[in-house]
């Protein structure tokens, strides 16, 4: 199934097909190889989807290089036809591969959507917009469904199996040929004991299932109480300090890490909005105030010592050629090799972009939630 490629092709955006169906089949076949690669190397999900929404990738982008490798492997003469790197084609193949794995597993949809949800407002898609956005809309729905399914998971992250229906029994034809009352009584007793044992076993499975559901409901209720308390108290359990004691740009880093530590499973979108509102409750913050990318980068790169390395280490970083907002902040703390302009260019959004601090925190939180799913 190649929903994205089909859609982009139907809009006439894939050039140089010249009515040759085999060429399109080659693209579909190369995308199948991308799907296989994603399933073998899940961290590439984030690289693939970030590149797919980037209108100006470069040939050194790891996702573009992988797409080019598989495209030319399937279609040996492809680059004699596509002399210039066919970026839109490769982006479509990458997104198509992401869509295919997401159709197989809602966890992938969660990862993909939470990676790009807060980046999309700053991206500008062209003719492919309608096709791409239909995929994003589906991921958004699947992501929330995946979050809600955690209610039916045990502590190890496995779904609690619903027990099969009670066993049914056929009347034994063996009894029809027994005329001795004692023998018949013995057979009936054995049959009854067998049935009773099976019913008892099934009953125990239902009881285990019911108790597991109740335990998860209690756990989720406790989680709600914990997060509400955390939000109202504005207190960091890891620092034993109030968030009010920190400059807001620093406080939001601690708040992200603390909130993630309260939630073991995949947090739904509503939790990121709880974070947004909690940051908005900090003193001396104007939630309407927006900061430029330059201001954000320079603040964090100049205040590396304000946040312990073990805290920053919990914000994972991605590939160096295509960043999310989480990567932008993480690299500012951890890597001195990027100047401000180079760092901003890695986001592949307008350098004039401005963002409020609650929105920045919300983006980092969701992107880190996606990364955590990749690494579990």
């Amino acid at each position: 199934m190649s929903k994205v490629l089909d859609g982009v092709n139907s809009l006439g955006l894939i050039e140089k097909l010249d009515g040759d169906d085999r060429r399109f089949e080659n693209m579909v076949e190369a995308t199948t190889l991308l799907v296989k690669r994603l399933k073998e190397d899940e961290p590439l999900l984030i690289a693939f989807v970030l590149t797919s929404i980037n209108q100006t990738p470069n040939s050194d982008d790891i996702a573009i290089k992988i797409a080019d490798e598989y495209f030319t492997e399937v279609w040996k003469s492809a680059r004699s036809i596509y002399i210039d790197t066919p970026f839109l084609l490769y982006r479509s193949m990458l997104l198509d591969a992401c869509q295919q794995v997401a159709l197989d597993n809602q966890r992938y949809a969660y990862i993909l959507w939470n990676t790009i949800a807060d980046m999309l407002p700053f991206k500008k898609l062209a003719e492919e917009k309608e096709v791409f956005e239909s995929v994003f809309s589906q991921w958004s729905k699947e992501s929330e469904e995946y979050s809600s399914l955690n209610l039916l998971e045990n502590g190890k992250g496995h779904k609690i199996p619903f027990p099969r229906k009670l066993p049914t029994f056929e009347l034994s034809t063996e009894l029809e040929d027994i005329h001795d009352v004692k023998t018949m009584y013995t057979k009936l007793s054995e049959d009854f004991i067998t049935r009773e044992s099976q019913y008892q076993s099934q009953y125990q499975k239902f009881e285990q299932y019911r108790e597991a559901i109740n335990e998860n409901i209690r756990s989720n209720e406790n989680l709600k109480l914990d997060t509400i308390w955390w939000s109202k108290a504005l207190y960091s359990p890891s620092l034993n300090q109030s968030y009010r004691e920190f400059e807001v740009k620093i406080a939001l880093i601690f708040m992200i890490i603390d909130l993630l530590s309260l939630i073991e499973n995949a947090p739904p979108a509503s939790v990121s909005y709880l974070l947004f509102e909690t940051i908005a409750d900090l003193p001396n913050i104007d939630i309407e105030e927006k900061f430029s990318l330059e201001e954000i980068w320079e603040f964090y790169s100049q205040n590396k010592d304000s946040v312990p390395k073990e805290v920053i280490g919990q914000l994972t970083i991605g590939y160096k050629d295509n960043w999310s907002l989480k990567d932008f902040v993480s690299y500012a703390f951890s890597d001195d090799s990027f100047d401000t302009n180079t760092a901003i260019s890695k986001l592949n959004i307008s350098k004039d972009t401005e963002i409020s601090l609650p929105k920045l925190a919300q983006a980092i939180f969701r992107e880190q939630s996606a990364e955590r799913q990749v690494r579990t």
Side-chain angles (χ1 to χ4, degrees):
M1 180 179 182
S2 296
K3 179 178 179 180
V4 179
L5 283 177
D6 285 339
V8 172
N9 189 38
S10 68
L11 293 174
L13 300 179
I14 300 179
E15 300 176 352
K16 301 182 181 180
L17 283 178
D18 300 327
D20 188 338
D21 290 339
R22 181 58 196 162
R23 292 183 181 181
F24 185 76
E25 290 174 7
N26 287 335
M27 297 173 188
V28 174
E29 186 177 345
T31 303
T32 301
L33 296 178
L34 291 175
V35 171
K36 182 180 179 183
R37 178 67 178 273
L38 281 179
K39 291 180 178 179
E40 294 171 348
D41 191 357
E42 287 190 358
L44 283 174
L45 275 167
I46 291 171
F48 277 26
V49 75
L50 285 174
T51 297
S52 73
I53 62 173
N54 177 16
Q55 274 213 305
T56 57
N58 61 67
S59 299
D60 293 328
D61 185 317
I62 185 171
I64 293 294
K65 290 170 75 172
I66 293 172
D68 185 71
E69 174 190 345
Y70 289 147
F71 190 48
T72 54
E73 178 182 329
V74 170
W75 186 1
K76 304 298 182 186
S77 60
R79 293 312 299 272
S80 64
I81 297 172
Y82 293 95
I83 298 173
D84 296 324
T85 304
F87 288 118
L88 176 57
L89 171 57
Y90 286 171
R91 288 172 51 222
S92 300
M93 289 168 55
L94 292 168
L95 185 63
D96 200 315
C98 290
Q99 168 68 347
Q100 289 191 50
V101 297
L103 287 172
D104 289 340
N105 190 329
Q106 284 185 327
R107 184 172 69 89
Y108 291 138
Y110 180 92
I111 293 166
L112 293 163
W113 174 244
N114 282 275
T115 296
I116 65 170
D118 298 286
M119 293 290 290
L120 284 176
F122 306 114
K123 297 287 184 176
K124 294 181 180 178
L125 301 177
E127 296 95 332
E128 73 277 13
K129 181 177 181 179
E130 182 178 348
V131 175
F132 280 34
E133 286 187 344
S134 68
V135 174
F136 303 151
S137 177
Q138 183 61 34
W139 288 350
S140 175
K141 296 174 184 175
E142 296 289 331
S143 175
E144 285 301 286
E145 287 185 17
Y146 176 72
S147 293
S148 66
L149 281 176
N150 285 312
L151 180 65
L152 299 183
E153 291 185 356
N154 59 25
K156 297 181 180 179
H158 302 300
K159 290 181 182 177
I160 302 165
F162 189 83
R164 296 178 181 178
K165 63 181 181 180
L166 291 171
T168 57
F169 301 94
E170 298 292 335
L171 291 174
S172 175
T173 56
E174 181 183 357
L175 296 176
E176 296 176 0
D177 299 324
I178 298 177
H179 301 290
D180 180 70
V181 173
K182 185 176 180 180
T183 303
M184 181 176 288
Y185 177 79
T186 301
K187 290 289 184 181
L188 285 171
S189 297
E190 291 172 352
D191 184 62
F192 176 81
I193 292 171
T194 299
R195 295 187 188 209
E196 182 184 39
S197 174
Q198 290 179 310
Y199 273 110
Q200 185 65 29
S201 174
Q202 200 70 5
Y203 174 76
Q204 289 175 352
K205 291 179 182 179
F206 275 107
E207 282 297 297
Q208 290 171 358
Y209 182 81
R210 183 179 65 81
E211 179 53 34
I213 293 296
N214 288 336
E215 182 181 343
N216 276 274
I217 291 173
R218 289 192 294 270
S219 176
N220 276 268
E221 289 303 315
N222 289 337
L223 176 60
K224 289 179 183 178
L225 292 174
D226 288 344
T227 53
I228 291 172
W229 176 88
W230 170 84
S231 177
K232 295 300 181 183
L234 291 177
Y235 173 80
S236 170
S238 62
L239 299 171
N240 295 321
Q241 286 180 261
S242 170
Y243 297 121
R244 298 177 181 88
E245 299 176 35
F246 299 92
E247 202 278 352
V248 177
K249 293 187 187 72
I250 297 298
L252 69 84
I253 301 297
F254 292 124
M255 295 170 82
I256 291 166
I257 298 302
D258 285 341
L259 185 55
L260 281 168
S261 70
L262 288 175
I263 305 172
E264 294 183 0
N265 294 317
S270 58
V271 178
S272 71
Y273 284 94
L274 174 69
L275 174 64
F276 182 103
E277 296 298 334
T278 305
I279 290 173
D281 285 339
L282 289 172
N284 303 318
I285 183 173
D286 178 0
I287 63 171
E288 300 298 328
E289 183 180 8
K290 294 184 178 181
F291 297 86
S292 68
L293 296 175
E294 180 179 355
E295 289 174 311
I296 293 169
W297 175 266
E298 291 187 351
F299 176 85
Y300 285 123
S301 61
Q302 293 169 11
N303 288 274
K304 290 181 170 65
D305 297 333
S306 299
V307 180
K309 290 183 179 179
E310 57 268 25
V311 173
I312 291 302
Q314 293 182 58
L315 291 180
T316 52
I317 53 178
Y319 296 97
K320 286 194 172 185
D321 46 24
N322 200 352
W323 292 355
S324 65
L325 286 164
K326 172 186 61 63
D327 296 329
F328 184 69
V329 171
S330 296
Y331 274 112
F333 274 112
S334 60
D335 198 322
D336 294 322
S337 64
F338 298 102
D339 60 47
T340 303
N341 289 331
T342 302
I344 292 173
S345 71
K346 296 290 186 180
L347 281 170
N348 296 297
I349 58 180
S350 171
K351 65 180 181 180
D352 298 324
T353 295
E354 294 183 333
I355 187 170
S356 70
L357 295 181
K359 286 298 294 182
L360 176 64
Q362 187 177 33
I364 296 171
F365 178 83
R366 282 155 68 102
E367 290 158 7
Q368 184 61 34
S369 298
E371 287 263 10
R372 191 166 66 170
Q373 286 294 309
V374 167
R375 298 168 189 275
T376 55

